[in-house]
Amino acid sequence: IEETAMATSEITTSFAESFFPKFGTLLRLKLAVSWWLRFFDYLRDRSQVRTGDIVLSELSIAERAIFRSIQRESFPEVFTAVNSGQALPKRHALSKLCPIVVDGLIRVGGRIKGAPVQYELRHPIVLPSRGHVTHLVIAEAHISSAHSSIRQTVNDLRMRLWIPGFHRAVKSITHKCIPCKRFRSTPQ
């Protein structure tokens, strides 16, 4: 009798890694997450759940939930450092930004906190430079600004988000844009 042993390894993927790439646009992802959040509210208390179409406030709550989930995966060391009051290592990409955690989201801190501008502009939400959700956010901003340049897309996104290596991340997305490639091409 021959006995064979087989070694297997179990790869654990997070919810965000398995669920978020199923959606090709940020709007579809936000809609799916907002329906999902509404379903959880239904399971908690059936009498208080809103019925009908998804409204804008639910989409913004879903967007924050998506960003929260992505940040928990990408920056766990920032959450532990900020919550314990320790400083980040100097080589960390977010160390110069003085990150703060507000409502479970990592935001840029720093000296602009006293400026007389909107809160989102003073403390933008931090996203990782790579990942499916970041790709969707950049692609949506690029398309909504009428396929604008890299600088214009970065400027539009900086109003509410901060991505380490911003120009590089936006450039990698915009150079894959088919309408932009057609516009940049030279006739043969």
Side-chain angles (χ1 to χ4, degrees):
I1 297 176
E2 286 186 31
E3 290 185 26
T4 58
M6 184 180 288
T8 61
S9 64
E10 185 175 318
I11 299 173
T12 58
T13 58
S14 67
F15 174 75
E17 288 177 359
S18 60
F19 183 69
F20 292 169
K22 294 179 182 179
F23 301 95
T25 64
L26 186 63
L27 178 63
R28 287 186 179 174
L29 176 61
K30 288 193 292 190
L31 280 170
V33 171
S34 57
W35 280 111
W36 185 64
L37 291 172
R38 189 185 278 187
F39 176 69
F40 279 136
D41 288 342
Y42 174 78
L43 292 177
R44 281 187 208 118
D45 186 14
R46 295 175 187 204
S47 63
Q48 298 295 327
V49 175
R50 188 182 188 296
T51 58
D53 292 336
I54 299 292
V55 294
L56 195 59
S57 62
E58 288 177 305
L59 286 177
S60 65
I61 290 169
E63 183 179 56
R64 277 186 257 126
I66 292 166
F67 291 164
R68 204 173 286 123
S69 148
I70 293 299
Q71 284 181 345
R72 292 268 176 212
E73 282 181 23
S74 301
F75 305 116
E77 66 281 355
V78 175
F79 281 106
T80 56
V82 170
N83 291 336
S84 65
Q86 298 174 349
L88 286 171
K90 289 188 178 189
R91 291 188 177 189
H92 196 278
L94 303 181
S95 64
K96 291 182 180 178
L97 302 177
C98 301
I100 57 174
V101 176
V102 179
D103 295 331
L105 287 168
I106 300 172
R107 292 180 176 270
V108 174
R111 57 184 194 175
I112 197 169
K113 59 185 164 197
V117 292
Q118 298 174 355
Y119 185 78
E120 293 268 325
L121 190 58
R122 279 184 285 157
H123 302 289
I125 297 170
V126 178
L127 286 182
S129 58
R130 293 185 180 148
H132 185 68
V133 173
T134 306
H135 173 86
L136 293 179
V137 168
I138 293 170
E140 181 185 78
H142 176 66
I143 291 169
S144 68
S145 62
H147 296 276
S148 61
S149 66
I150 296 167
R151 289 183 181 172
Q152 181 64 42
T153 306
V154 167
N155 190 38
D156 291 344
L157 285 171
R158 275 208 179 129
M159 296 290 184
R160 61 189 194 100
L161 298 172
W162 184 270
I163 300 171
F166 225 139
H167 284 276
R168 191 173 350 111
V170 171
K171 189 176 183 178
S172 71
I173 306 302
T174 56
H175 279 293
K176 295 175 188 172
C177 179
I178 303 287
C180 292
K181 277 185 179 180
R182 286 183 183 156
F183 182 72
R184 285 190 312 259
S185 68
T186 56
Q188 295 180 0

